[in-house]
Amino acid sequence: MILTSAELWAAATNCYVIAPERGGPAVIVDAPPDVDAVIRLITANDVVPVALLVTHGHVDHAGGAAGVTKRTGVSAYLHPDDDYLVSDPATQVRSIFGFVPPGIEEFAAPDHYVDLAHGEVLHLAGFDFEVRHTPGHTLGHCAFVVEDEGLIFSGDQLFAGAIGRTDLPGGDFGTLMDSMRTQVMTLPDDTRVLPGHGPETTIGRERVVNPFILEYL
Ligand SMILES: [Zn+2]
Ligand SMILES: [Zn+2]
């Protein structure tokens, strides 16, 4: 298996590429608004993308989706509860950064997103991606579990030693912790956690070191 990542754009967002082997099909998880760098990650690993899974609609994860779908021809997948974010990137960016930078139109959504639904299993590039709707950071946030490989792409739900912020529009701390309890911490301790920001961790490690899980779960 090939599993590679790069920290991209101003928010240092992890873009992941997972593939069974070199030369084979691959899935991209999250598209920060640095399309050239996403394409470089694909070509450097000699894989052929077949889908773009987007954990949630914040621009640092979804802002490159239009460019990536245009350049690669793949479909992008997003939970429809995050339409409020991708349909209006200018308002979203203002709420995060306090101003709207030039070039915001490049963060616009692709022409079409395939709707993700909680509990469905997507068969992509030889892997089974189980979609887990994990609201709390945003309304439509999803994590993707690849059980056979012992992985969860946790987006901004769970980080090493931290959790996603819940003070932005659609965020709610109690909802995020409910998602943590019912959808994330139910996974086996040896599950690798691949977060939207920062280093990889495991479910077992977070169970004993993550202050939010220790205090609020
Ligand atoms: Zn986010
Ligand atoms: Zn993020």
Side-chain angles (χ1 to χ4, degrees):
M1 179 186 65
I2 295 171
L3 175 61
T4 185
S5 66
E7 285 188 319
L8 302 181
W9 199 59
T13 302
N14 290 323
C15 169
Y16 293 96
V17 171
I18 181 170
E21 58 194 1
R22 284 185 91 83
V27 172
I28 307 164
V29 179
D30 283 341
D34 184 346
V35 177
D36 287 343
V38 176
I39 300 297
R40 275 199 299 276
L41 193 59
I42 295 162
T43 52
N45 288 280
D46 187 26
V47 291
V48 182
V50 296
L52 166 62
L53 301 182
V54 180
T55 56
H56 64 293
H58 282 154
V59 291
D60 59 318
H61 299 257
V68 169
T69 57
K70 223 168 272 166
R71 297 264 294 269
T72 64
V74 305
S75 295
Y77 295 68
L78 178 78
H79 194 287
D81 288 0
D82 266 9
D83 284 351
Y84 74 109
L85 293 171
V86 295
S87 65
D88 189 1
T91 296
Q92 181 200 149
V93 167
R94 191 180 295 110
S95 75
I96 297 176
F97 300 109
F99 67 99
V100 179
I104 188 70
E105 55 282 348
E106 288 167 29
F107 298 178
D111 294 338
H112 175 67
Y113 266 117
V114 180
D115 286 350
L116 293 171
H118 176 73
E120 74 178 322
V121 177
L122 301 168
H123 310 286
L124 298 167
F127 301 107
D128 287 342
F129 292 83
E130 183 198 339
V131 177
R132 297 197 180 189
H133 183 209
T134 52
H137 176 65
T138 66
L139 298 176
H141 190 287
C142 287
F144 306 113
V145 175
V146 185
E147 190 183 4
D148 287 349
E149 302 292 341
L151 302 175
I152 180 172
F153 294 96
S154 65
D156 287 4
Q157 162 74 26
L158 173 62
F159 304 129
I163 59 171
R165 57 191 284 191
T166 54
D167 59 322
L168 296 169
D172 182 75
F173 180 78
T175 305
L176 185 143
M177 293 314 291
D178 279 347
S179 295
M180 197 75 87
R181 179 168 42 245
T182 61
Q183 304 302 328
V184 179
M185 297 313 291
T186 50
L187 292 164
D189 277 353
D190 61 355
T191 305
R192 294 169 66 185
V193 176
L194 302 162
H197 302 271
E200 178 178 337
T201 182
T202 66
I203 292 292
R205 180 173 161 77
E206 293 314 301
R207 207 183 295 287
V208 294
V209 304
N210 190 303
F212 296 92
I213 290 168
L214 289 171
E215 182 145 357
Y216 297 102
L217 210 63

